[in-house]
Amino acid sequence: HVMAIPIMLFSFMCHASVLPIYAECKPHTRKFMLKVTKTALLFCFLVYLAVGVTGYLTFRSATIVSDVLLMYTNILPLSTPIMIARICSLVCVIFSAPLLHFPCRKALTMLLFPDKAFSWSIHLSIMLFNLILVFLNVYGLGQSLGNLLSYGGIIAGNSLILILPNLFYLKLCGV
């Protein structure tokens, strides 16, 4: 399915958070960072595997929408475990947004104001611009989680994974 490509690109957007994570690691070694990465990927794999298997075992041949929890909500609307899972999903999205916002704000600040010292007005203006842009995207594409992730993958994933690294390489090499 063609919609899977942007969603897969969206899943690689976490690489923007690698440098801040590395800066927080003690000790600052490649071996320790690989250990952190392997642990995080293993945990993600196990969570995705559990969600995928339980979703498959529950619905088998039924059409699954882009959000597995919506299918469970249609079957058991008042189920406490499903509500807890939806709340956990919401908390995950809420707390992961700043992790993606930080590198975006930092990059925009460095791009638009490369020689200026830190200024709260610039900092807050860029933050407000980013939040308004995110709000408009969520509001406009919010009918389906699949649409939201697809467009996020198309826009951010392509630029972060395919376009920007090549531009940075050209800039660093002086081409």
Side-chain angles (χ1 to χ4, degrees):
H1 198 262
V2 176
M3 293 295 281
I5 294 170
I7 293 174
M8 287 188 293
L9 285 175
F10 183 79
S11 68
F12 287 107
M13 285 181 33
C14 64
H15 79 280
S17 302
V18 170
L19 293 176
I21 291 171
Y22 180 76
E24 294 294 322
C25 287
K26 303 271 189 283
H28 294 297
T29 61
R30 182 174 185 257
K31 184 177 179 181
F32 187 74
M33 189 61 191
L34 285 174
K35 183 178 175 183
V36 169
T37 305
K38 288 176 185 177
T39 305
L41 288 174
L42 177 65
F43 179 72
C44 287
F45 171 76
L46 293 175
V47 170
Y48 286 150
L49 182 67
V51 169
V53 168
T54 54
Y56 174 75
L57 292 176
T58 303
F59 302 110
R60 301 230 183 224
S61 63
T63 303
I64 296 179
V65 294
S66 61
D67 187 356
V68 175
L69 292 175
L70 286 178
M71 294 293 285
Y72 283 110
T73 305
N74 292 337
I75 293 173
L76 303 167
L78 301 176
S79 173
T80 303
I82 293 171
M83 287 308 291
I84 291 171
R86 293 191 74 181
I87 290 170
C88 289
S89 176
L90 178 67
V91 168
C92 179
V93 169
I94 288 171
F95 286 117
S96 65
L99 293 175
L100 294 174
H101 174 74
F102 173 75
C104 179
R105 181 183 42 78
K106 185 79 168 167
L108 277 175
T109 303
M110 292 174 65
L111 181 69
L112 299 174
F113 307 102
D115 298 326
K116 280 198 148 195
F118 178 80
S119 165
W120 277 106
S121 60
I122 292 172
H123 175 82
L124 294 175
S125 299
I126 290 177
M127 182 180 76
L128 185 64
F129 172 76
N130 285 342
L131 291 176
I132 289 172
L133 194 63
V134 168
F135 171 76
L136 291 174
N137 283 324
V138 170
Y139 181 74
L141 305 171
Q143 296 93 13
S144 166
L145 183 63
N147 286 348
L148 192 62
L149 293 177
S150 294
Y151 286 110
I154 289 168
I155 296 166
N158 282 329
S159 63
L160 281 173
I161 296 169
L162 304 173
I163 299 168
L164 290 177
N166 295 315
L167 291 176
F168 292 149
Y169 176 77
L170 293 173
K171 175 84 174 169
L172 291 172
C173 293
V175 176

